[in-house]
């Protein structure tokens, strides 16, 4: 059975600055927490760093050509704060902002809408040295940075997002510690959550003050969490993980409250007037989705939360993430009910890593990624049929890239990158996606 997406459905592809740009020390860019973290032995698999990544800083023309050829309506990328403000605040690095200026023009020339995310995890190290997201002042400095970018690009970029996955900024950066800046502390997580929420609010206000008519939101992250058993402790661990990973940010920003499992920890941090800052009207509701997981109580974990590994034999990606399109449909329905109502909904990241390789005919076949996309896009159609106003879907990612603590080991791209030569090879999944982006129907299985 073949099914069409609604007229005007927006197809996109997503990337992030540190994962693709490289040129880490070029043209005045300052170090970010990911430069420092990836250069710390033992933090990233194989000692990989983003020093070169996909060399997008030099090869952006070629990458924009790949987008044009793909036929997508939108390209989501992020700006590197420390490329624009090497010290995090103060003097603007003209060469840094010029890079994005040229990129935006090229994307528009290709007939593609630029969707700009202002923060995809690469905090300037100079601000981490001042406490990073644990320091409330960083929210103000973030808003100053937003002002710089908005004044320069707001005439052409209409779609903006304040943060990518604020949950992971706080939880993985300051709690789990497997992401930069690598801190493992419960208190640090509470502080980071609140500062990032304040930064979101101040960033939204700044964008609206700088320019009328921009379309603004935040990019949340949702994955259903189920308790591993009906034991009380597993239920508690699961509720806490759900609060930290799914609800802490949209609850605060949309409902104006912290979810119950973390409310008591958050309460001492809330100052008068904070909710007025944090709760800003959104123009769209966006999130990334990858999988669902089961949670059990774990006495050795800082938050007493453990993830049950996906059982062998269950369909899963190279990340060990279960392939469960129906969980995705369920998330879209639940998010509409809890948060977004009639707001347009966008999926700004979804995709899968597989062990792709170029075969002797020069092709990267990997039907698994195509089947993954078929299943997840089918879930989008099902959610739309159920009345959820899903208006667009962005694949993660345009290119294979630096997958954070896993370095270059995991390939999420629809375009293969040979890191030795920087050659780009569109995978079979690129051509599958192109058919859809150019108006083709989805063949459902
Ligand atoms: C998301 C991140 C993105 C990428 C994918 C696989 O959590 O936003 O940068 O790493 O996971």
């Amino acid at each position: 059975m073949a099914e069409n997406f609604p007229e005007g459905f927006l197809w996109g592809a997503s990337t992030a600055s540190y994962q693709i740009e490289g040129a880490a020390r070029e043209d005045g860019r300052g170090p970010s927490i990911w430069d420092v973290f990836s250069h710390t032995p033992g933090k990233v698999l194989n000692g990989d760093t983003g020093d070169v990544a996909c060399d997008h800083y030099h090869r952006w023309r070629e990458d924009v050509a790949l987008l044009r050829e793909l036929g997508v309506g939108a390209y989501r990328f992020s700006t590197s704060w420390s490329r624009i403000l090497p010290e995090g605040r103060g003097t603007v690095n003209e060469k840094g902002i010029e890079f994005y200026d040229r990129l935006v023009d090229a994307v528009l020339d290709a007939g593609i809408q630029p969707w700009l995310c202002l923060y995809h995890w690469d905090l300037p190290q100079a601000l981490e040295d001042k406490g990073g997201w644990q320091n409330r002042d960083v929210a103000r400095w973030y808003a100053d940075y937003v002002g710089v970018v908005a004044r320069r690009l707001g005439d052409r970029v209409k779609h903006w997002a304040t943060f990518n996955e604020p949950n992971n900024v706080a939880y993985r950066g300051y709690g789990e510690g497997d992401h930069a800046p690598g801190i493992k502390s419960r208190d640090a997580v509470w502080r980071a959550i609140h500062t990032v929420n304040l930064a979101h609010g101040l960033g939204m206000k700044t964008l609206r003050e700088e320019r009328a008519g921009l379309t603004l939101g935040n990019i949340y992250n949702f994955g259903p969490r189920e308790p591993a058993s009906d034991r009380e402790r597993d239920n508690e661990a699961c509720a806490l993980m759900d609060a930290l990973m799914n609800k802490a940010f949209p609850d605060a920003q949309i409902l104006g409250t912290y979810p119950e499992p973390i409310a008591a920890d958050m309460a001492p941090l809330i100052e008068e007037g904070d909710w007025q800052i944090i709760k800003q009207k959104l123009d769209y509701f966006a999130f990334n989705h990858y999988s669902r997981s089961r949670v059990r109580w774990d006495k050795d974990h800082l938050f007493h939360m453990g993830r049950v590994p996906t059982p062998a034999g269950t369909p899963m990606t190279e990340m060990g993430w279960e392939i469960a399109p129906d969980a995705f449909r369920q998330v879209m329905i639940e998010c509409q009910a809890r948060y977004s109502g009639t707001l347009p909904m966008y999926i700004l990241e979804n995709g899968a890593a597989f062990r792709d390789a170029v075969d002797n005919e020069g092709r990267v076949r990997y039907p698994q990624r195509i089947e993954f996309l078929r299943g997840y896009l089918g879930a989008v159609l099902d959610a739309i049929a159920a009345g959820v106003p899903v208006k667009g879907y962005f694949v993660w990612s345009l290119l294979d890239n630096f997958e954070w603590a896993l370095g270059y080991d995991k390939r999420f791209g629809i375009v293969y990158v040979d890191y030795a030569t920087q050659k780009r090879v569109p995978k079979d999944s690129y051509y599958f996606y192109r058919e859809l982006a150019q108006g083709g129907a989805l063949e459902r299985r």
Side-chain angles (χ1 to χ4, degrees), residues 5 9-13 328 346-351 372-373 376-377 380 390-396 433:
F5 281 82
F9 189 80
L10 186 65
W11 295 92
F328 181 34
Y346 291 92
I347 307 309
L348 291 187
E349 278 183 32
N350 175 243
F372 177 97
L373 292 172
Y376 278 77
L377 286 164
V380 170
V390 189
K391 300 296 180 194
Y393 173 99
F394 291 47
V395 69
W396 182 269
Y433 199 65

Side-chain angles (χ1 to χ4, degrees), residues 9-62:
F9 189 80
L10 186 65
W11 295 92
S14 296
T15 64
S17 48
Y18 191 71
Q19 295 182 278
I20 65 166
E21 285 177 5
R25 279 178 284 276
E26 232 170 289
D27 289 342
R29 177 182 177 278
S32 79
I33 53 175
W34 270 96
D35 295 284
V36 173
F37 189 78
S38 65
H39 279 270
T40 308
K43 297 296 186 194
V44 175
L45 192 67
N46 302 321
D48 289 341
T49 73
D51 287 2
V52 179
C54 306
D55 196 29
H56 172 76
Y57 189 74
H58 299 113
R59 293 168 196 265
W60 55 276
R61 285 185 190 81
E62 190 184 339

Side-chain angles (χ1 to χ4, degrees), residues 16 19 76 120-121 164-165 168 221 288 290 319 321 349 396 402-404 412:
Q19 295 182 278
R76 175 192 150 197
H120 202 126
W121 304 356
N164 173 70
E165 297 187 357
N168 281 320
N221 178 212
N288 302 338
Y290 286 93
M319 299 290 280
W321 296 343
E349 278 183 32
W396 182 269
F402 177 80
E403 178 46 34
W404 309 112
F412 274 93

Side-chain angles (χ1 to χ4, degrees), residues 233-366:
R233 281 178 156 180
D234 287 344
N235 270 301
E236 270 170 26
C238 184
L240 180 58
M241 194 182 282
D242 182 48
L244 282 167
M245 295 306 281
N246 291 326
K247 296 190 175 132
F249 294 90
D251 272 22
Q253 296 169 14
I254 298 168
L255 310 178
T257 166
Y258 281 115
E260 196 277 322
I262 65 168
D265 294 293
M266 298 305 299
L269 301 173
I270 303 167
E271 295 180 9
E272 193 165 344
D274 282 2
W275 289 119
Q276 279 77 356
I277 296 174
I278 293 171
K279 229 183 127 184
Q280 298 293 324
K281 178 185 150 292
L282 301 174
D283 299 314
Y284 61 85
F285 181 86
F287 68 95
N288 302 338
H289 171 81
Y290 286 93
S291 189
R292 67 170 167 207
S293 50
R294 300 177 72 214
V295 185
R296 60 181 167 76
W297 191 78
D298 176 355
K299 73 170 173 17
D300 299 323
H301 186 270
L302 185 61
F303 291 84
H304 299 151
M305 312 183 305
R307 187 175 159 267
V308 180
T310 310
T314 313
M316 63 178 112
T317 70
E318 193 59 30
M319 299 290 280
W321 296 343
E322 185 186 351
I323 301 176
D326 202 54
F328 181 34
R329 181 187 59 90
Q330 178 198 331
V331 169
M332 290 180 270
I333 291 172
E334 286 174 8
C335 280
Q336 184 196 18
R338 187 175 175 90
Y339 302 114
S340 62
T342 56
L343 273 187
M345 184 182 284
Y346 291 92
I347 307 309
L348 291 187
E349 278 183 32
N350 175 243
F354 291 105
R355 217 154 261 295
D356 318 61
V358 183
D359 68 14
N360 47 23
E361 287 164 29
R363 267 178 71 180
V364 186
R365 295 176 196 263
Y366 282 75

